[in-house]
């Protein structure tokens, strides 16, 4: 267990300016079968993936990425099935991958209880996970590779960590740094979509029976701030994610089609936090699905240095605010504007920026 994620995300950003960084880590993936491995795909067959219907939707979604990643690497797609503790005996699978979050997946809680699996190293620990083979986890399942997160993102990171390890070791190359060496290195790279990093192919895929684990990241919130996004990112997004027209009120192309691609990248990089585009955009106004989907995927949202209390300025203020952006002369209207932002964000995981700069960062 090495708390490297904070450093890795930072280094991946530093890699934009410097060289290519390959960061070693404990591996759980194997490419050759042995007595100490557990088969994920062999003889062109993939073992099924089991999840719990009461699991976080964001974990359910990441499990579909995990299955797609296994297919990207091997050409064989595993099934994903919802299993409850009462229906598990009907599964009748010799072996399975079982994915879930402690305290959120009744399936995983049952398995921990039945097998007396020791989860004390991760239980209650922010974004941590363990994965390992266990015997007789459920009636009808002789053996399973269980992937257990301490919380929503712990489970999601466990899945993406395995996906990356489907190659040799981990690097995060931006497209202009992709070299012969980095191509071999990636399994399913976090950048597979954004930078077209090719996926390493393997006919068969195994994991170490002893599995792998990761503790809490050293840096609690790790993310991306889209800034100076005009014209490059904005024009690209308009071409890629709209049918020629941006959002009705702002003209912004940064809709949920764009953001869900970004959420996936952040999570694959083991990040958790985003400051959205602001130049001619307002995250919640550009697409009303943006904010709920961020939370649903597992991303913590904030707003940038010039946008207090989860509301945009100047774009959103100019649309909905009243009077000047000046707390000396217009405090009640500005206060109410912020209260509305907090009420809107209340159901979601958010970090509030405090303080006030001039409208438009001046
Ligand atoms: C499992 O159940 C949940 C909750 O009903 C649902 O959202 C999800 O799509 C189901 N997943 C599968 C693979 O059937
Ligand atoms: C754990 O197992 C014991 C004995 O089998 C049972 O009494 C208890 O209710 C279980 N607890 C949970 C949380 O499933
Ligand atoms: C590991 O990477 C090297 C190149 O760096 C490549 O030749 C080799 O095939 C890779 N092995 C696996 C198992 O992917
Ligand atoms: C663009 O048009 C296609 C086909 O009608 C539709 O499926 C898609 O959702 C549209 N995209 C946007 C961003 O409106
Ligand atoms: C806010 O209003 C006060 C009082 O009229 C004024 O002195 C100050 O310059 C204004 N601030 C800005 C940033 O316009």
């Amino acid at each position: 267990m090495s708390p490297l994620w904070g450093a890795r995300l930072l280094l991946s950003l530093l890699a934009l300016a410097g060289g290519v960084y390959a960061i070693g880590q404990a591996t759980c993936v194997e490419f050759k079968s042995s007595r100490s491995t557990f088969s994920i795909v062999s003889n062109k067959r993939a073992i099924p993936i089991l999840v719990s219907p009461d699991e976080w939707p964001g974990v359910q979604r990441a499990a579909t990425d995990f299955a797609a990643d296994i297919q990207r690497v091997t050409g064989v797609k595993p099934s994903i099935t919802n299993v409850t503790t009462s229906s598990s005996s009907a599964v009748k699978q010799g072996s399975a991958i079982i994915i879930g979050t402690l305290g959120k997946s009744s399936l995983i809680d049952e398995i921990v209880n039945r097998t007396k699996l020791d989860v004390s190293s991760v239980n209650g620990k922010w974004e941590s996970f363990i994965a390992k083979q266990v015997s007789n986890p459920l009636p009808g399942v002789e053996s399973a590779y269980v992937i257990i997160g301490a919380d929503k993102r712990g489970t999601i990171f466990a899945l993406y960590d395995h996906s990356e390890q489907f190659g040799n070791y981990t690097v995060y190359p931006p497209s202009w740094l992709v070299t012969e060496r980095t191509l071999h290195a990636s399994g399913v790279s976090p950048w597979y979509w954004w930078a077209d990093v090719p996926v390493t192919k393997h006919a068969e895929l195994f994991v170490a029976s002893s599995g792998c684990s990761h503790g809490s990241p050293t840096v609690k919130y790790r993310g991306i701030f889209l800034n100076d996004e005009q014209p490059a990112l904005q024009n690209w997004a308009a071409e890629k994610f709209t049918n020629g027209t941006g959002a009705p009120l702002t003209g912004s192309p940064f809709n949920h089609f764009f953001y869900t691609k970004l959420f996936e990248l952040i999570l694959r990089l083991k990040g958790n936090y985003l400051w959205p585009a602001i130049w001619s955009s307002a995250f919640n106004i550009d697409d009303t699905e943006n904010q709920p989907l961020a939370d649903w995927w597992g991303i913590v949202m904030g707003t940038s240095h010039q946008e207090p209390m989860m509301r945009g300025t100047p774009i959103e203020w100019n649309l909905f605010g009243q009077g000047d952006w000046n707390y000396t002369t217009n405090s009640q209207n500005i206060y109410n504007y912020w209260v509305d932002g907090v009420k809107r964000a209340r159901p979601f995981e958010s970090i509030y920026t405090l303080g006030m700069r001039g409208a438009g960062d001046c």
Side-chain angles (χ1 to χ4, degrees):
M1 276 208 275
S2 53
L4 279 172
W5 286 343
R8 287 166 64 206
L9 182 55
L10 178 64
L11 282 173
S12 74
L13 298 176
L14 289 179
L16 300 178
V20 176
Y21 292 85
I23 314 288
Q25 61 181 51
T27 57
C28 35
V29 173
E30 307 272 346
F31 302 102
K32 285 200 171 60
S33 175
S34 78
R35 290 167 73 184
S36 59
T37 60
F38 181 85
S39 168
I40 304 287
V41 173
S42 57
N43 299 321
K44 299 195 180 358
R45 281 196 60 240
I47 63 168
I49 294 172
L50 310 182
V51 291
S52 193
D54 55 358
E55 180 57 78
W56 290 108
V59 171
Q60 290 263 354
R61 193 211 60 75
T64 65
D65 274 358
F66 183 63
D69 288 345
I70 292 172
Q71 185 178 28
R72 288 182 178 106
V73 171
T74 65
V76 186
K77 185 167 195 173
S79 63
I80 305 180
T81 311
N82 269 326
V83 169
T84 63
T85 44
S86 54
S87 75
S88 72
S89 54
V91 176
K92 295 229 169 15
Q93 292 291 346
S95 59
I97 300 173
I98 306 177
I99 296 168
T101 307
L102 286 173
K104 183 66 185 165
S105 162
S106 45
L107 194 62
I108 286 296
D109 288 349
E110 163 96 358
I111 289 168
V112 170
N113 197 7
R114 284 174 63 95
T115 62
K116 306 284 178 262
L117 181 67
D118 182 6
V119 293
S120 59
S121 62
V122 294
N123 199 6
K125 303 222 171 96
W126 174 263
E127 296 179 351
S128 59
F129 72 82
I130 57 167
K132 63 177 0 179
Q133 181 176 357
V134 297
S135 298
N136 300 311
L138 295 167
V141 183
E142 275 165 36
S143 179
Y145 185 72
V146 292
I147 300 179
I148 301 179
D151 53 22
K152 173 165 61 172
R153 279 183 296 272
T155 315
I156 292 171
F157 292 159
L159 298 176
Y160 287 141
D161 216 30
H162 282 78
S163 292
E164 281 180 79
Q165 289 185 27
F166 294 160
N168 281 358
Y169 57 91
T170 307
V171 290
Y172 304 122
S175 57
W176 62 92
L177 283 178
V178 171
T179 64
E180 197 60 23
R181 184 169 151 266
T182 61
L183 293 190
H184 282 301
S186 50
V188 180
S189 163
W191 296 96
Y192 81 97
W193 188 85
W194 285 85
D196 297 320
V197 179
V199 171
T200 315
K201 303 282 184 190
H202 295 282
E204 306 204 309
L205 210 49
F206 308 89
V207 282
S209 302
S210 55
C212 54
S213 61
H214 201 295
S216 293
T218 41
V219 177
K220 188 162 189 182
Y221 294 103
R222 309 164 306 280
I224 288 178
F225 173 23
L226 301 182
N227 196 6
D228 291 359
E229 64 270 20
Q230 244 179 334
L233 184 65
Q234 181 139 348
N235 288 346
W236 173 80
E239 191 179 304
K240 193 91 191 168
F241 297 103
T242 77
N243 292 330
T245 52
L249 289 174
T250 61
S252 170
F254 297 118
N255 53 28
H256 73 277
F257 300 107
F258 167 82
Y259 275 115
T260 50
K261 287 289 185 196
L262 191 59
F263 301 156
E264 183 185 333
L265 173 68
I266 292 171
L267 293 171
R268 282 183 184 269
L269 288 169
K270 319 296 175 357
N272 57 12
Y273 188 46
L274 176 64
W275 280 6
I278 57 171
W279 270 42
S280 54
S281 302
F283 187 66
N284 294 278
I285 306 307
D286 299 333
D287 186 336
T288 52
E289 291 190 58
N290 282 345
Q291 190 176 28
L293 278 178
D295 188 74
W296 194 86
W297 279 62
I299 297 291
V300 184
M301 287 305 302
T303 41
S304 79
H305 59 300
Q306 64 162 79
E307 305 186 292
M309 309 310 285
M310 296 297 290
R311 288 207 87 168
T313 53
I315 302 299
E316 188 177 359
W317 170 260
N318 291 345
L319 284 167
F320 302 105
Q322 284 169 0
D324 289 337
W325 183 251
N326 185 330
Y327 211 78
T328 308
T329 56
N330 196 25
S331 57
Q332 194 59 50
N333 283 330
I334 293 174
Y335 180 86
N336 294 344
Y337 178 76
W338 287 341
V339 168
D340 288 344
V342 172
K343 283 184 179 160
R344 184 176 63 188
R346 185 165 59 181
F348 312 119
E349 224 182 335
S350 309
I351 296 178
Y352 294 95
T353 312
L354 304 177
M356 196 172 174
R357 281 178 67 80
D361 202 16
C362 33

